């Protein structure tokens, strides 16, 4: 009868869903097999059922009582398995050899369990893993090699655990997780984060770095990190503004981190975004820190020129493959605000970078003398020269008599005594005269010239009435004429 054939046809159709037609008997008890999908969810299992079909691509073991995942849970290699779901099992232990037979796993869900530590090289056999869910466990210890060899991991969920130390090694570019684009650390026990190093991360990673619901200590670098994220409209900040809180000393309840601007006792202020400084002749790279990873990019210089490649005749302005702009041999006119235009998958984004060019050069580690330093050196040299002049000038005296013995010049050597008076001069002292200066050609010099006759000077007259000094340079003849006047 038709009523008796209906259950038989339904059973036949279900058996055909599994590979091999009537080979549906290979599906484990209390599990449902549909093509390459194997669902054992809510089957009250305390261990992984065996044997598992080799064709299994998705294995769902969620909502069971599998408390330990040993290395022999899959005795045979499962080459097609790419998704393993083990959430809500009360897992306490996962062997470091548990994933040796599933090398092509791309999705692993270990959430909502009781794991307390991530041991050394726990996931090192999963070189193709892309998504790892570990949220809502009791994890407090993360070994620095737990995520070794996960070169394809893009999303890591560690929220709702007991992590007190920020695993910064997970984010350093080019190390353990080069493809990581999402890191959830929300609802942990983080009290501080390295805000300066997080700010240096690419914006497309900070866009998916979740830090809300942590007992963070309030400080200005943390505020500036999140304030920049809000200004850049990063999802991790905009979507969880109310949950981004921190603890102030003496305040019983947490306060909003983004409300710290101008608030005592910190009185934080927002830092300027993307301001770079350089010197004349330097080379510098302007990064296009967009929240869109990839996409087409071009730059606009302060002069309004569009840069889409090597726009300098001598290669002074170059657009690099990663979207950054390289400026070589900087000039003073290169200073200003540069704009980077990014065409993203959902919307466009424009970033601005301000460049300051100082009007002096740097030569390696030694700076050129600036104006203040040059002025200081000049002042010191001037003082030294003055001291040398005052204390080290040689004595110009040629006479043996001292200043104390030197008599004032006789008034009778003046013009008045030579012309208007007939009274001969009287010698005042008997000091020995200075030795005569040497003459050229035997001539006696007068007024800086030499006499043509070359006669020697007359000896001084002896007698009680004194004498006139023949070599007196202050006489009338030495002032008004080259011819001597005989009195």
């Amino acid at each position: 009868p038709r009523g008796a054939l209906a259950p038989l046809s339904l059973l036949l159709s279900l058996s055909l869903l599994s590979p091999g037609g009537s080979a549906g008997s290979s599906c484990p008890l209390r599990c449902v097999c549909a093509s390459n999908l194997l669902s054992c969810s809510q089957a009250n299992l305390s261990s992984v059922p065996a044997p598992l079909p080799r064709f299994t691509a998705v294995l769902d073991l969620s909502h069971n009582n599998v408390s330990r995942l040993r290395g022999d849970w899959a005795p045979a290699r499962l080459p097609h398995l790419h998704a393993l779901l083990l959430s809500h099992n009360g897992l306490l232990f996962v062997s470091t050899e548990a994933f040796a037979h599933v090398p092509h796993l791309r999705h692993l869900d270990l959430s909502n369990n009781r794991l307390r530590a991530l041991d050394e090289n726990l996931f090192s056999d999963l070189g193709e893993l892309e998504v790892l869910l570990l949220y809502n466990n009791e994890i407090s210890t993360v070994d620095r090699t737990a995520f070794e060899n996960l070169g394809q991991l893009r999303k890591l969920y560690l929220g709702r655990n007991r992590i007190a130390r920020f695993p910064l090694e997970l984010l350093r570019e080019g190390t353990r997780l080069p493809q990581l684009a999402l890191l959830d650390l929300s609802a942990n026990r983080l009290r501080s984060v390295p805000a300066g190093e997080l700010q240096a991360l690419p914006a497309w990673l900070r866009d998916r770095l979740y830090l809300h619901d942590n007992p963070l200590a309030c400080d200005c670098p943390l505020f500036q990190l999140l304030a920049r994220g809000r200004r850049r409209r990063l999802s991790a900040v905009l979507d969880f503004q109310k949950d981004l809180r921190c603890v102030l000393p003496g305040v019983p309840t947490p306060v909003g981190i983004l409300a710290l601007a101008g608030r005592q006792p910190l009185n934080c202020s927002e830092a300027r975004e993307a301001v770079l400084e350089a010197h004349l002749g330097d080379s510098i790279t302007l990064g296009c820190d967009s929240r869109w990873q990839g996409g087409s990019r071009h730059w606009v210089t302060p002069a309004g020129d569009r840069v889409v490649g090597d726009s300098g005749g001598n290669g002074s302005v170059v657009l690099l493959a990663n979207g950054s702009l390289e400026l070589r041999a900087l000039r003073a006119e290169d200073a200003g605000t540069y704009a980077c235009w990014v065409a993203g998958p959902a919307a466009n984004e424009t970033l601005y970078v301000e460049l300051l060019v100082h009007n002096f050069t740097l030569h390696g580690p030694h700076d050129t003398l600036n104006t203040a330093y040059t002025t200081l050196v000049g002042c010191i040299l001037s003082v030294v020269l003055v001291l040398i002049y005052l204390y080290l000038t040689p004595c110009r005296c040629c006479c043996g008599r001292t200043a104390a013995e030197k008599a004032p010049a006789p008034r009778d050597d003046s013009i008045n005594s030579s012309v208007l008076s007939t009274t001969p001069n009287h010698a005042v002292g008997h000091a020995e005269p200075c030795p005569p200066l040497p003459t050229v050609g035997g001539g006696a010099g007068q007024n800086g010239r030499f006499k043509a006759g070359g006669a020697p000077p007359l000896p001084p007259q002896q007698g009680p009435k004194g004498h006139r000094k023949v070599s007196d340079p202050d006489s009338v003849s030495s002032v008004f004429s080259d011819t001597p006047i005989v009195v």
Side-chain angles (χ1 to χ4, degrees):
R2 292 184 179 180
L5 293 177
L8 182 60
S9 61
L10 178 61
L11 181 61
L12 180 61
S13 61
L14 287 175
S15 65
L16 291 176
L17 288 175
S18 61
S22 60
S25 59
S26 61
C27 188
L29 293 176
R30 292 183 287 183
C31 297
V32 177
C33 298
S35 183
N36 59 355
L37 307 180
L38 179 59
S39 176
C40 303
S41 180
Q42 298 181 346
N44 198 24
L45 299 174
S46 58
S47 61
V48 179
L52 293 174
R54 290 187 73 257
F55 57 79
T56 303
V58 178
L59 177 58
D60 184 3
L61 295 170
S62 62
H63 296 276
N64 281 289
N65 300 314
V66 182
S67 60
R68 303 178 69 86
L69 190 65
R70 302 181 182 275
D72 57 353
W73 71 272
R77 187 178 180 90
L78 299 176
H80 304 288
L81 187 67
H82 62 78
L84 176 60
L85 312 178
L86 281 165
S87 63
H88 297 279
N89 268 279
L91 268 175
L92 294 170
F93 170 77
V94 177
S95 173
T96 56
E97 300 176 355
F99 309 107
H101 294 155
V102 288
H104 303 297
L105 203 63
R106 297 196 301 270
H107 184 101
L108 177 59
D109 186 359
L110 296 174
S111 64
N112 295 285
N113 284 292
R114 299 176 59 188
L115 297 175
R116 296 184 179 181
L118 301 180
D119 297 329
E120 181 181 2
N121 295 317
L122 181 58
F123 306 106
S124 59
D125 292 324
L126 302 177
E128 299 180 13
L129 191 65
E130 298 178 3
V131 179
L132 178 56
L133 291 83
L134 289 164
Y135 63 86
N136 200 21
N137 275 276
E138 301 174 6
I139 300 172
S140 60
T141 304
V142 179
D143 190 272
R144 63 179 182 177
T145 64
F147 305 100
E148 201 75 33
N149 300 329
L150 298 185
Q152 301 300 319
L153 188 66
R154 302 192 71 254
K155 298 180 180 180
L156 176 58
Y157 295 87
L158 286 168
R160 297 195 175 278
N161 279 284
R162 301 176 183 178
I163 300 174
R165 188 190 67 83
F166 184 77
L168 183 63
E169 60 272 10
L170 302 181
L171 301 178
R172 290 195 178 100
E173 186 176 359
T175 57
R176 289 176 176 80
L177 304 176
Q179 300 296 327
L180 190 65
L182 184 150
L183 177 59
D184 179 14
L185 289 168
S186 62
N188 275 278
R189 298 181 179 179
L190 298 175
R191 296 189 178 275
S192 65
V193 292
E197 296 188 48
L198 293 181
Q199 179 59 36
L201 296 174
W204 53 265
L205 177 54
R206 284 184 282 121
D207 191 36
R208 296 291 186 271
L209 176 59
Y210 298 97
L211 297 172
H212 56 277
D213 287 332
N214 275 285
L216 297 168
C218 296
D219 57 26
C220 290
L222 176 63
F223 163 75
Q224 293 172 354
L225 171 68
L226 298 180
R228 289 190 181 101
R230 179 176 59 181
R231 187 164 58 246
R232 296 288 306 277
R233 304 189 63 81
L234 302 183
S235 301
V237 178
L238 287 182
D239 297 343
F240 298 94
Q241 292 189 59
K242 296 182 179 180
D243 299 320
L244 287 167
R245 301 176 179 272
C246 63
V247 180
L248 275 173
V251 179
T253 58
V255 300
I257 299 177
L258 294 173
L260 292 177
R263 177 169 178 170
Q264 297 298 333
L266 298 180
N267 195 22
C268 299
S269 60
E270 294 192 24
R272 292 187 297 173
E273 180 82 14
V275 178
L276 301 178
E277 298 185 21
H279 303 83
L280 292 177
D282 287 353
S283 295
I284 193 171
T285 300
L286 310 183
C288 190
D289 190 22
S290 173
R291 55 196 175 102
W292 306 120
Q293 188 176 9
S296 61
R297 309 182 182 206
H298 70 271
W299 287 80
V300 177
T301 67
D305 300 327
R306 179 173 176 175
V307 181
V308 294
D310 186 353
S311 297
N314 56 354
S316 59
V317 182
V318 180
L319 180 63
L320 303 180
N322 61 359
S324 301
L325 185 68
E326 184 179 6
L327 304 176
R328 303 169 183 171
L330 285 177
R331 303 165 299 173
E333 53 268 27
D334 291 331
T337 302
Y338 292 77
C340 178
W341 297 74
V342 184
N348 296 334
E349 185 179 16
T350 304
L351 306 176
Y352 299 96
V353 180
E354 183 180 354
L355 176 62
L356 305 178
V357 180
H358 298 290
N359 59 352
F360 59 90
T361 59
L362 291 179
H363 300 283
H366 304 288
D367 295 346
T368 305
L369 295 177
N370 54 28
T371 304
Y373 184 71
T374 305
T375 304
L376 177 62
V377 172
C379 292
I380 294 175
L381 290 177
S382 299
V383 172
V384 172
L385 292 176
V386 169
L387 294 176
I388 292 175
Y389 177 77
L390 291 177
Y391 295 100
L392 300 180
T393 303
C395 179
R396 298 181 180 179
C397 297
C398 60
C399 300
R401 69 195 295 179
T402 62
E405 298 174 349
K406 184 177 181 180
R411 299 179 59 87
D412 55 2
D413 288 342
S414 64
I415 299 175
N416 296 330
S417 63
S418 302
V419 178
L420 302 179
S421 176
T422 58
T423 305
N425 296 324
H426 297 277
V428 179
H430 297 281
E432 183 178 351
C434 296
L437 296 174
T439 59
V440 180
Q446 186 176 353
N447 287 345
R449 288 182 292 274
F450 300 99
K451 293 182 179 181
L458 297 175
Q461 298 178 1
Q462 303 293 333
K465 293 185 179 181
H467 63 278
R468 173 178 297 278
K469 294 190 279 286
V470 178
S471 60
D472 186 1
D474 295 330
S475 63
V476 177
S477 62
S478 64
V479 175
F480 294 103
S481 173
D482 292 335
T483 304
I485 299 175
V486 179
V487 180

